[in-house]
């Protein structure tokens, strides 16, 4: 019989144990090992059963057991000590409080469609969410005043299992928010606080707001499952990345526009500061700009254009995809419908909203609304997530800035990082801290110290690595057994599972989402060659694979089935396994336990990737295509680079070539080095690479490094521009909008009329000085509205300038009719082909750079 009503009964803790509730509610427990150890000590067996969920643990202990624990004076003292430690962590000044910058923000709002903080709160699908979670955790550790904004999905992403034939099977178990580490925002009278959006047809979308505490950082999660909504709108936040395009659009409207409303609600209820920086982590949150424009138009009486400038001044946009197919694109007609009629925003014309996301550039599709384009057009600063990804992004979005060189596209890069305390195994941390100071670990140099100078002895480092590998083997055996039982096998068939994997065999990990470009099955390109590696009697390897494919991705699901079919074969099934339902809990054992982390995407389609970073923190070595973060940080001694067949257009041929290179690296380099042991059974050359990895990559891959870069390079400058343009009466935003309108109106008449050069001899040599004079027409604009630039560089076969450099020419003459003369000189610094041109770009003290208006007028040949 099904229940007709459901509710959650919360545990009432004895007074001496009352602080346990605070410790369980703050997600710091997920990365603070002493707190986790405290909860585990209450009942180790149940702690394992509830998968490290302190709220479920407390609920399972029962009144009698809790009263017994409350009489344990040593335990009560430890509870009080950790409660005091948490309060100290939440209140004491940290890095940001010491950061000396006059424009540093009072608060930053960080919007993301998913947040991967802990398996206890499953609101993530993959790397984007894990990055967002690590961003918040590291901001908390640094004291950066971030407020996270997302959605609370009723079923998260999905739970993955396998059928008997090895096909992915998805289920969507419902989450009970009352049994999660969340607090519902309530009004002063105790009623749940709400935000609302207007929908077409006079309908309303209402959402309640849950708060999760990520250390010092509040995370606001909007939930549409409220009684005020009809059945359709209640399901807006039903699951992550599910449903039709219209369903996704409603989710993104709620995330962006509803998220801004949730920020205002939270500030009203708590007295918190208003953010000066709004960070959109991917285009899903782009509609936050529309709600902020609406606020300014409605409350301050600004024009749409002035409001847009005020909003842009405080917005950061991060793109995570290196391919157009990875961008959310909606029908323009669908977007128009959601901002028209009863859903129209007063003073915010729908055509101007549509213009922000329209692909009105060469090669674009005028019928779609592009969320990345919208994100770029409504942000002051934008970035990719690795150095190579920044280059790829500048090329991908180059058409938004026609006339500018690809290198001038205003998208910078900040390479991703991972949260060290979350991803470094406690056993590895304990080993390091028993020999090295925090400074030696943080700087990396401690790993290079010999044992006689206080460093970690080789024998201890190697023993710890085996401990982590053995823990992974035990966990994998449990997961393999459960997976086969779920697939319909009987216990009598599974005796072989007890011997799956070996704690002394070279262990390779491969775990990530399974889109086709990540090439899950590249390792299967030559099955016999792989089989020999797996079953070598003297030097075998073993491989653990995990990952989910989006339910609508038939190709990705097919790759999983192909891999599982191979792993099911009796001859290899003790050496290669697929572990279903990859999540944070699995990753925290899988990554530390691997010796080698394999990554073989189709270059350059991996924006950054962070799984290999987590492995490196635990002394594992990366074996990867030079893509994402590995492209910039591989140095020849911290792992191996799989050669790529760049330029080979035939995908099958390219896969075959790169798979052969992978096999060759394993056979000739990786495997021999792992099994090359000294008289004490220690692989000295292998450990040299491990130490070098820990010393060089350890400091770089930290998300604290990443967040500091965001603060210094993006958040602080954007906070400064926000304050300037959102100052008294919004005079700055209004003036800038008016200036831009004047420039755009006049630009059709701005031109370079004539260019002359002097000092060009018959034989031009390095060190010669060339003078350039340019005569221009500004057609009503003032000289201070523009910069006339000399553009120099090498010249390719098509007479196109490459490796360009720009320098301003000086105004030297004023003529009638809006004509002016400019002059400058350039010293020739390199030999070979050299060329120059002259162009005019708009300049203003309040814009972020000369490309902001995407206007340029260049001299014609």
């Amino acid at each position: 019989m099904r229940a007709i009503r459901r509710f959650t009964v919360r545990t009432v803790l004895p007074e001496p144990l009352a602080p346990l509730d605070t410790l369980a509610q703050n997600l710091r427990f997920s990365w603070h090992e002493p707190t986790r150890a405290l909860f585990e000590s209450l009942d180790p067996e149940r702690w394992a059963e509830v998968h490290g969920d302190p709220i479920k643990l407390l609920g399972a202990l029962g009144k009698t057991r809790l009263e017994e624990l409350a009489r344990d004076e040593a335990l009560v003292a430890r509870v009080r000590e950790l409660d005091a430690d948490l309060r100290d962590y939440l209140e004491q000044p940290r890095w940001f409080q010491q950061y000396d910058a006059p424009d540093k923000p009072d608060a930053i709002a960080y919007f993301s469609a998913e947040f991967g903080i802990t398996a206890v709160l499953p609101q993530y699908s993959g790397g984007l969410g894990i990055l967002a979670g690590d961003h918040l955790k590291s901001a908390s550790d640094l004291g950066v005043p971030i407020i996270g904004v997302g959605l609370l999905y009723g079923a998260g992403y999905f739970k993955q299992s396998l059928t008997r034939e090895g096909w992915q099977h998805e289920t969507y178990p419902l989450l009970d928010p009352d049994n999660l580490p969340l607090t519902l925002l309530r009004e002063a009278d105790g009623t749940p606080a709400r935000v609302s959006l207007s929908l077409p047809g006079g309908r309303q979308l209402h959402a309640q707001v849950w708060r999760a505490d990520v250390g010092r950082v509040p995370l606001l999660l909007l939930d549409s499952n409220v009684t005020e909504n009809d059945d359709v709108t209640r399901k807006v936040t039903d699951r992550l990345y599910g449903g039709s395009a219209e369903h996704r659009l409603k989710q993104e409207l709620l995330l962006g526009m509803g998220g801004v409303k949730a920020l205002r609600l939270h500030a009203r209820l708590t007295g918190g500061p208003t953010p000066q920086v709004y960070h959109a982590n991917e285009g899903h949150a782009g509609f936050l700009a529309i709600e902020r424009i609406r606020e300014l138009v409605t409350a301050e009486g600004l024009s749409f254009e002035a409001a847009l400038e005020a909003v842009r001044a405080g917005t950061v946009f991060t793109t995570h995809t290196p391919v157009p197919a990875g961008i959310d694109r909606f029908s323009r007609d669908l977007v128009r419908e959601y901002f028209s009629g009863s859903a129209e925003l007063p003073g915010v014309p729908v055509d101007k909203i549509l213009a922000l996301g329209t692909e009105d550039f060469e090669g674009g599709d005028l019928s779609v609304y592009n969320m990345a384009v919208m994100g770029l057009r409504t942000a002051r600063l934008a970035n990719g997530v690795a150095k190579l990804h920044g280059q790829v992004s500048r090329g991908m979005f180059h058409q938004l800035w026609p006339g500018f060189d690809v290198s001038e596209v205003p998208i910078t890069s900040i390479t991703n990082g991972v949260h060290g305390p979350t991803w470094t195994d406690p056993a590895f941390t304990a080993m390091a801290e028993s020999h090295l100071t925090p400074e030696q670990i943080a700087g990396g140099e401690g790993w290079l110290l010999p044992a006689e100078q206080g460093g970690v002895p080789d024998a201890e480092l190697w023993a710890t690595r085996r401990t982590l590998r053995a823990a992974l083997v035990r966990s994998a055996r449990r997961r393999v057994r459960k997976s086969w039982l779920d697939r319909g096998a009987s216990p009598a068939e599974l005796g072989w599972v007890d011997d799956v994997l070996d704690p002394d065999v070279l262990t390779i990990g491969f775990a990530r989402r399974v889109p086709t470009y990540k090439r899950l099955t590249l390792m299967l390109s030559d099955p016999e060659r792989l089989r020999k590696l797996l079953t070598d009697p003297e030097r075998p390897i073993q491989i653990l694979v995990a990952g989910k494919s989006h339910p609508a991705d038939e190709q990705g699901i097919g790759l999983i089935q192909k891999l599982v079919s191979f792993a099911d074969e009796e001859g290899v099934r003790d050496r290669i396994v697929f572990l279903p339902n990859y999540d944070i809990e699995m990753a925290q054992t899988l990554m530390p336990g691997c010796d080698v982390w394999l990554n073989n995407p189709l270059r350059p389609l991996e924006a950054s990737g962070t799984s290999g970073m987590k492995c490196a923190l635990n002394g594992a070595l990366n074996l990867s295509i030079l893509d994402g973060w590995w492209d910039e940080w591989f140095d020849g001694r911290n792992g191996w680079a799989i050669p790529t067949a760049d330029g080979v257009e035939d995908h099958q041929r390219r896969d075959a070539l790169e798979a052969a290179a992978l096999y060759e690296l394993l056979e000739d380099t990786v495997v021999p080095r792992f099994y090359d042991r000294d008289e004490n059974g220690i692989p000295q050359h292998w450990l040299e690479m491990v130490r070098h990895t820990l010393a060089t990559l350890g400091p770089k891959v930290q998300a604290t490094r990443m967040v500091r870069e965001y603060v210094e390079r993006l958040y602080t400058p954007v906070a400064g521009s926000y304050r300037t343009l959102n100052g008294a009466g919004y005079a700055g935003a209004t003036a800038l909008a008016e200036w831009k309108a004047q420039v755009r109106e006049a630009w059709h008449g701005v031109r370079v009329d004539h260019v002359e050069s002097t000092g060009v001899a018959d034989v031009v040599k390095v060190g010669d000085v060339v003078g350039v004079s340019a005569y221009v027409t500004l057609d009503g604009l003032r000289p201070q509205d523009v910069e006339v630039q000399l553009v120099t560089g090498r010249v390719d076969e098509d007479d196109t300038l490459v490796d360009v450099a720009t320098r301003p020419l000086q105004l030297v003459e004023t003529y009638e009719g809006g004509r002016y003369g400019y002059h400058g000189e350039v010293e020739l610094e390199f030999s070979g082909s050299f060329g120059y041109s002259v162009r005019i770009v708009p300049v203003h003290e309040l814009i972020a750079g000369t490309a902001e208006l995407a206007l340029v007028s260049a001299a014609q040949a």
Side-chain angles (χ1 to χ4, degrees):
M1 181 180 295
R2 296 180 61 85
I4 62 170
R5 188 180 176 197
R6 174 181 175 178
F7 54 89
T8 298
V9 180
R10 300 299 292 266
T11 300
V12 178
L13 294 170
E15 190 279 330
L17 299 180
L20 285 176
D21 185 60
T22 302
L23 294 172
Q25 287 288 335
N26 193 302
L27 295 179
R28 185 198 185 213
F29 77 78
S30 67
W31 73 87
H32 189 246
E33 183 55 27
T35 302
R36 293 179 62 80
L38 168 68
F39 282 113
E40 183 176 15
S41 71
L42 302 181
D43 190 327
E45 189 172 324
R46 278 206 175 99
W47 178 251
E49 290 174 358
V50 300
H51 303 285
D53 185 335
I55 291 178
K56 287 183 179 178
L57 175 72
L58 295 177
L61 289 178
K63 183 178 179 181
T64 302
R65 175 59 175 159
L66 288 170
E67 289 174 348
E68 178 186 336
L69 291 170
R71 292 191 292 271
D72 184 335
E73 294 183 2
L75 174 64
V76 170
R78 193 144 56 104
V79 169
R80 289 173 178 165
E81 178 185 343
L82 286 171
D83 182 52
D85 178 77
L86 177 59
R87 287 199 306 272
D88 182 73
Y89 174 84
L90 298 176
E91 296 168 3
Q92 292 302 310
R94 306 187 76 81
W95 171 81
F96 185 82
Q97 285 66 47
Q98 312 303 322
Y99 172 54
D100 186 18
D103 283 332
K104 72 179 184 180
D106 298 326
I108 304 115
Y110 182 90
F111 288 69
S112 182
E114 49 178 303
F115 286 92
I117 297 162
T118 167
V120 170
L121 189 64
Q123 300 291 307
Y124 58 94
S125 71
L128 179 71
I130 301 299
L131 170 80
D134 284 4
H135 197 107
L136 297 195
K137 294 174 188 176
S138 297
S140 175
D141 290 343
L142 293 169
V144 179
I146 278 182
I147 305 169
V149 182
L151 301 179
L152 181 69
Y153 302 100
Y157 191 38
F158 65 85
K159 188 173 183 180
Q160 179 197 49
S161 58
L162 299 174
T163 68
R164 183 75 188 204
E165 295 74 27
W167 293 97
Q168 172 178 287
H169 176 66
E170 306 97 20
T171 55
Y172 296 86
L174 293 179
L175 302 173
D176 179 3
D178 288 321
N179 206 29
L180 295 173
L182 300 171
T183 303
L184 187 63
L185 293 192
R186 296 182 180 275
E187 298 289 354
D189 62 3
T191 58
R194 297 281 193 267
V195 299
S196 300
L197 298 180
S198 296
L199 298 178
R203 297 161 62 227
Q204 291 279 308
L205 169 58
H206 305 284
Q208 58 191 0
V209 184
W210 299 87
R211 170 173 165 154
D213 289 309
V214 187
R216 301 166 69 113
V217 171
L219 169 59
L220 308 180
L221 299 172
L222 288 88
D223 171 17
S224 69
N225 187 18
V226 297
T227 55
E228 294 92 331
N229 288 328
D230 58 33
D231 289 344
V232 173
T233 49
R234 287 188 76 158
K235 294 179 180 178
V236 166
T237 57
D238 58 350
R239 62 183 63 171
L240 177 58
Y241 301 146
S244 64
E246 185 171 7
H247 185 80
R248 286 285 297 276
L249 176 62
K250 285 187 283 191
Q251 286 188 335
E252 297 190 11
L253 289 166
L254 183 60
L255 172 62
M257 300 182 69
V260 173
K261 290 174 180 282
L263 282 171
R264 306 297 182 248
L265 175 66
H266 184 258
R268 175 171 64 79
L269 295 175
T270 65
T274 298
Q276 286 89 43
V277 178
Y278 296 77
H279 183 176
N281 188 42
E282 247 320 332
H284 312 114
F287 290 116
L288 70 89
I290 304 303
E291 173 60 19
R292 291 168 58 213
I293 288 171
R294 184 203 64 79
E295 289 179 330
L296 294 174
V297 170
T298 302
E300 304 296 335
L302 270 62
S303 67
F304 178 92
E305 290 73 20
L308 174 59
E309 295 306 327
V311 166
R312 287 186 77 255
T315 305
V316 172
F317 174 67
T318 298
T319 175
H320 288 263
T321 178
V323 290
I327 297 169
D328 277 350
R329 300 164 83 228
F330 298 106
S331 160
R332 267 175 53 99
D333 290 340
L334 180 63
V335 175
R336 178 184 294 277
E337 179 185 351
Y338 273 79
F339 287 101
S340 301
S342 62
E344 182 178 352
L345 302 177
V348 186
V350 64
D351 286 342
K352 293 186 178 181
I353 295 174
L354 293 173
L356 293 174
T358 297
E359 295 183 355
D360 54 352
F361 46 79
E362 185 178 348
D365 184 344
L366 291 172
S367 70
V368 303
Y369 194 84
N370 187 309
M371 295 301 292
V373 168
M374 181 202 194
L376 291 166
R377 285 176 173 163
T378 56
R380 184 170 180 87
L381 297 179
N383 70 288
V385 291
K387 186 176 180 179
L388 177 60
H389 180 236
Q391 297 171 6
V392 171
S393 297
R394 288 189 286 276
M396 187 165 70
F397 294 110
H398 180 216
Q399 294 304 326
L400 287 172
W401 290 272
F404 288 90
D405 189 76
V406 172
S407 64
E408 297 178 291
V409 170
I411 301 175
T412 185
S413 63
I414 292 179
T415 302
N416 284 347
V418 297
H419 185 244
T422 294
W423 300 109
T424 308
D425 191 273
F428 199 85
T429 298
M431 175 203 65
E433 291 178 346
S434 68
H435 294 278
L436 307 176
T437 66
E439 292 75 21
Q440 289 173 327
I441 297 172
E445 66 275 5
W447 293 106
L448 303 179
L449 289 174
E452 54 270 22
Q453 295 181 24
V456 179
D458 284 344
E460 188 173 348
L461 177 56
W462 185 238
T464 301
R465 289 292 313 145
R466 188 190 186 281
T467 296
L468 300 181
R469 197 183 310 115
L472 171 57
V473 168
R474 290 193 299 272
S475 174
R477 287 173 178 171
R478 289 193 299 270
R479 292 177 184 276
V480 169
R481 179 177 295 279
K482 182 180 184 305
S483 176
W484 275 94
L485 291 172
D486 290 344
R487 294 171 69 182
S490 68
E493 299 176 68
L494 300 179
W496 60 273
V497 172
D498 293 336
D499 297 318
V500 164
L501 308 176
D502 185 322
D504 292 306
V505 166
L506 171 60
T507 302
I508 299 173
F510 183 102
R512 49 190 47 88
R513 287 186 307 110
V514 190
T516 52
Y517 78 86
K518 292 182 183 282
R519 299 192 295 186
L520 170 71
T521 56
L522 187 71
M523 64 182 78
L524 302 182
S525 297
D526 188 337
E528 288 307 312
R529 199 168 177 182
L530 176 60
R531 190 174 282 106
K532 288 180 181 179
L533 281 163
L534 293 167
T535 59
D536 187 288
E538 300 296 328
R539 302 185 306 186
I541 69 171
Q542 56 194 15
I543 303 176
L544 295 96
V545 182
K548 296 178 178 180
S549 180
H550 190 282
D553 183 359
E554 294 182 3
Q555 285 185 294
I557 291 172
L559 295 178
I560 291 175
Q561 197 276 336
K562 183 178 179 181
L563 189 285
V564 172
S565 293
F566 179 84
D568 282 352
E569 295 179 13
E570 285 195 29
V572 297
R573 66 186 183 184
D574 60 338
R575 285 286 179 263
I576 180 169
V577 298
F578 181 87
L579 305 178
N581 206 40
Y582 181 45
D583 64 1
I584 290 175
E585 183 187 7
M586 181 194 295
Q588 288 175 317
T589 302
L590 175 59
M591 291 166 177
C594 289
D595 300 294
V596 172
W597 195 253
L598 176 61
N599 188 31
N600 45 233
L602 190 66
R603 187 179 191 271
L605 302 186
E606 182 82 272
S608 176
T610 57
S611 55
M613 297 180 178
K614 299 159 192 167
C615 299
L617 287 175
N618 292 279
L621 303 177
N622 278 268
L623 171 61
S624 177
I625 294 286
L626 285 173
D627 202 3
W629 72 275
W630 191 237
D631 180 73
E632 65 190 272
W633 286 342
F634 169 67
D635 66 6
R637 297 170 59 199
N638 53 13
W640 299 273
I642 303 169
T644 55
D646 293 341
V648 176
E649 298 296 331
D650 184 329
H651 283 280
Q652 291 185 333
R653 169 80 174 146
R654 179 169 179 170
D655 286 354
L657 290 171
E658 295 182 4
L662 168 60
Y663 293 135
E664 187 174 332
L665 264 175
L666 287 169
E667 294 163 344
D668 298 342
T669 306
V670 179
V671 173
R673 180 157 295 191
F674 180 83
Y675 287 105
D676 178 19
R677 309 292 170 85
D678 65 11
E679 63 277 7
N680 297 314
I682 296 174
Q684 291 289 345
H685 294 304
W686 186 273
L687 288 186
E688 286 175 8
M689 295 183 70
V690 169
R691 290 183 183 278
H692 179 74
T693 292
L694 292 166
T696 58
L697 287 182
K700 290 180 181 177
V701 302
Q702 298 284 348
T704 45
R705 181 271 312 156
M706 173 189 75
V707 172
R708 281 195 297 266
E709 286 193 42
Y710 272 100
V711 169
E712 294 166 349
R713 295 174 50 199
L714 300 182
Y715 294 162
T716 297
V718 163
S721 64
Y722 174 92
R723 291 186 176 106
T724 298
L725 270 70
N726 288 260
Y730 297 89
T734 301
L736 182 58
E738 292 173 351
W739 176 82
K740 283 187 175 182
Q742 293 169 0
V743 170
R744 290 189 176 107
E745 184 177 354
W747 200 256
H748 65 89
V750 174
R751 62 183 181 273
V752 179
D753 296 316
H754 180 61
V755 179
E756 297 175 352
S757 59
T758 58
V760 182
D762 292 338
V763 179
V764 183
K765 303 182 297 296
V766 172
D768 285 355
V769 175
V770 175
V772 177
S773 296
Y775 302 92
V776 306
T777 296
L778 299 185
D779 196 30
L781 294 183
R782 304 164 301 168
Q784 58 264 41
D785 294 327
V786 303
E787 186 170 271
V788 180
Q789 297 177 335
L790 176 64
V791 185
T792 61
R794 300 183 185 276
V795 182
D796 67 11
E797 296 177 354
D798 298 325
D799 288 335
T800 300
L801 289 173
V802 294
D803 300 327
V804 299
T806 62
R807 67 199 71 200
L809 297 177
Q810 300 302 312
L811 176 64
V812 293
E813 295 285 348
T814 300
Y815 307 103
E816 293 181 353
R819 298 183 66 244
Y820 301 88
Y822 288 78
H823 181 76
E825 296 180 338
V826 57
E827 181 178 346
L828 305 180
E829 298 178 347
F830 56 84
S831 59
S833 62
F834 173 85
Y836 73 86
S837 185
V838 172
R839 72 182 186 186
I840 309 170
V841 293
V843 293
H844 192 284
E845 63 180 357
L846 296 180
I847 63 175
T850 54
E852 181 170 312
L853 277 74
L855 296 176
V856 59
S857 181
Q860 302 300 309

